[in-house]
Amino acid sequence: MSTLTEAPPPLAPAESAKKPPRKRGRFTPYWLLLPGILWLVVFFALPMIYQASTSVQTGSLEQGYKVTWHFVTYWNALSEYWPQFLRSVFYAAAATLLCLALGYPLAYLIAFRAGRWKNLIMILVIAPFFTSFLIRTLAWKTILADNGPVVHTLNSLHILDLTNWLGWTAGDRVLATPLAVVCGLTYNFLPFMILPLYTSLERIDGRLHEAAGDLYAKPWTTFRKVTFPLSMPGVISGTLLTFIPAAGDYVNAELLGSTDTRMIGNVIQTQFLRILDYPTAAALSFILMAAILAMVTIYIRRAGTEDLV
Amino acid sequence: MPLVTWFKRHLVVIAGLLTLAYLLLPNVIVTVFSFNKPKGRFNYQWQQFSTDAWKDPCGVADMCGSLSISLQIAVWATVGATVLGTMIAFALVRYRFRARGAINSLIFLPMAMPEVVMAASLLTLFLNMGAQLGFMTILIAHIMFCLSFVVTAVKARVMSMDPRLEEAARDLYAGPVQTFLRVTLPIAAPGIAAGALLSFALSFDDFIITNFNAGSTVTFPMFVWGSAQRGTPVQINVIGTAMFLVAVLFVLVSMFITNRRNSQKA
């Protein structure tokens, strides 16, 4: 994302400042913006307002809803569904960390080590995007199946004993456990981590590595003191791009999990589409949005990159 | 070289390739299981090699219909989002005006919002308006979330463009329309193409927002979702494999064309 937010080349503003704007063009930007911005206002911003209003309504589907400033809905929603909220944050954070750990070597490989294989590896990272992600997520059911090779291997290495003890898996199976859901989340959002990491790594001048080597830095020190700090913009946008969608996802929890692994997205989906309790559903989705915005703001402040957006 | 030293030296490469394997494993499974002949309704266990599904990809009721609906929506969403997004991107890069900051955040927010929140809020809007859920509401939603991605892709390209090229065109007596068509548009084209491609992929693959706003219309991802409960036909894997192959082929061809063009220039 950071490539897309770079400052314009210094030439452009200077040039345009020199020339007085042509009169004919005074309203041009507004005409260019109008249709698209209108679309976003009507179908993105306005719905948020409708949602806010729905969350403080009472009534029923048959008799209609009225705004009654019934804030108790929020309290009820939170006190009933806080486990799902916590679980969502926890799963999303675990998936994000795993994505970072798995994605960094691959991004590094593409940026510095791939040579003439670079384009091919890039294609292999992006192409799975075009196979429906639902189909690919369903494939994990086959991979993690109870009698499948993954479960057998984990079992014979006694890793399952450990994960059972940690509560990540249950009773010698991986499917329908937290481990399966986190594995699916990690898999689905991994490209969103790899691409920003790659863009920021790609921009690092290779000579800096040589300089570090000349100053007797060991490879690990070079990585810790030079490469990683310089790749921070990629790390930040990558973690955001994985954490946010992962926290709201309900597909992985539904397809690979069980009732014990329901995330807040599953609750919102059920409330909206099956139970048809619109005020509660709207309140839940509002809380999710606020929580994520708050976390993201704190994180960006902490990470110290305000020029990200 | 001792094994440990070799392993240490190539640690990054090994780890990277393992991640790549993790990324591609489901695709391999999808491809392999497109040649399966399952016993029951579910295609999760290997039974027997068969090419039946490949010979008759539309043999499942309603699947190809949903595929065609998804394709139509993806095409229209791509057209809509690309046109609107390109206009916004040009306005943002080329002009200074008030409310630029507000517009930038309005464009950034949809990308930073969990899909389920956007999906749910759109549904409350449609319910309040009494809109009939279906093809049109899906299309509206898809254009909305693709728009931001097009703007960012085109913006990046237009920003790195040298304004002197257009000045040169004007100095050579090209009119505004001519300058735009012969100079500006060709230079911005890769950005616009990237935005359009991304829109197509995002729209074609979207499930969460569609699930909320589709009414009784069934897109391909919704068909897959439904079949996950009822039993997945092998044909779904055939379509998945075909989509992967088409994507790889498409990228290879476009790379081949750019390479040739570059070598012609040189």
Side-chain angles (χ1 to χ4, degrees), chain B residues 10-266:
Chain B
H10 296 284
L11 192 61
V12 179
V13 179
I14 295 165
L17 289 179
L18 282 175
T19 305
L20 195 64
Y22 176 65
L23 266 178
L24 291 173
L25 183 61
N27 283 85
V28 175
I29 296 290
V30 169
T31 310
V32 169
F33 276 73
S34 72
F35 292 106
N36 192 17
K37 190 170 189 172
K39 270 194 192 132
R41 294 181 297 149
F42 290 97
N43 184 22
Y44 294 138
Q45 266 189 348
W46 181 258
Q47 302 288 347
Q48 197 193 330
F49 180 85
S50 138
T51 52
D52 291 355
W54 280 91
K55 281 181 202 142
D56 183 22
C58 281
V60 188
D62 302 330
M63 189 184 73
C64 283
S66 71
L67 203 58
S68 125
I69 290 178
S70 270
L71 279 174
Q72 286 172 43
I73 290 175
V75 167
W76 287 117
T78 303
V79 171
T82 308
V83 171
L84 298 180
T86 305
M87 283 161 68
I88 295 179
F90 267 97
L92 282 175
V93 179
R94 285 301 168 78
Y95 297 91
R96 315 266 123 194
F97 50 88
R98 265 182 285 170
R100 248 175 124 243
I103 286 173
N104 268 322
S105 25
L106 183 63
I107 284 155
F108 175 73
L109 271 176
M111 294 190 288
M113 194 69 70
E115 266 196 276
V116 68
V117 174
M118 281 197 280
S121 65
L122 252 179
L123 179 61
T124 53
L125 175 82
F126 288 141
L127 288 174
N128 272 294
M129 294 193 325
Q132 176 78 43
L133 296 177
F135 191 92
M136 283 317 283
T137 50
I138 302 175
L139 184 57
I140 285 172
H142 284 200
I143 292 179
M144 184 271 289
F145 72 74
C146 290
L147 198 52
S148 305
F149 290 94
V150 176
V151 174
T152 8
V154 179
K155 230 171 92 177
R157 179 77 190 176
V158 181
M159 261 180 184
S160 63
M161 204 164 130
D162 193 336
R164 283 173 297 188
L165 289 171
E166 285 165 307
E167 280 165 33
R170 278 197 291 273
D171 289 347
L172 295 166
Y173 297 104
V177 177
Q178 220 178 349
T179 309
F180 183 78
L181 289 179
R182 310 276 309 250
V183 179
T184 316
L185 208 54
I187 299 177
I192 299 175
L197 200 64
L198 198 59
S199 296
F200 188 87
L202 287 172
S203 163
F204 191 77
D205 205 18
D206 180 75
F207 170 71
I208 294 183
I209 291 185
T210 313
N211 186 27
F212 273 76
N213 296 293
S216 55
T217 308
V218 178
T219 63
F220 183 65
M222 301 233 344
F223 179 84
V224 177
W225 176 260
S227 71
Q229 268 103 43
R230 292 191 312 266
T232 42
V234 187
Q235 277 81 353
I236 281 182
N237 291 36
V238 173
I239 304 291
T241 311
M243 270 151 61
F244 182 74
L245 292 179
V246 168
V248 172
L249 202 71
F250 188 84
V251 180
L252 285 177
V253 167
S254 69
M255 258 170 50
F256 180 70
I257 293 171
T258 21
N259 277 346
R260 256 185 59 176
R261 225 183 258 160
N262 287 348
S263 59
Q264 271 171 1
K265 265 182 210 158

Side-chain angles (χ1 to χ4, degrees), chain A residues 56 76 93 148 178 205 223:
Chain A
V56 289
N76 291 342
D205 192 334
F223 174 76

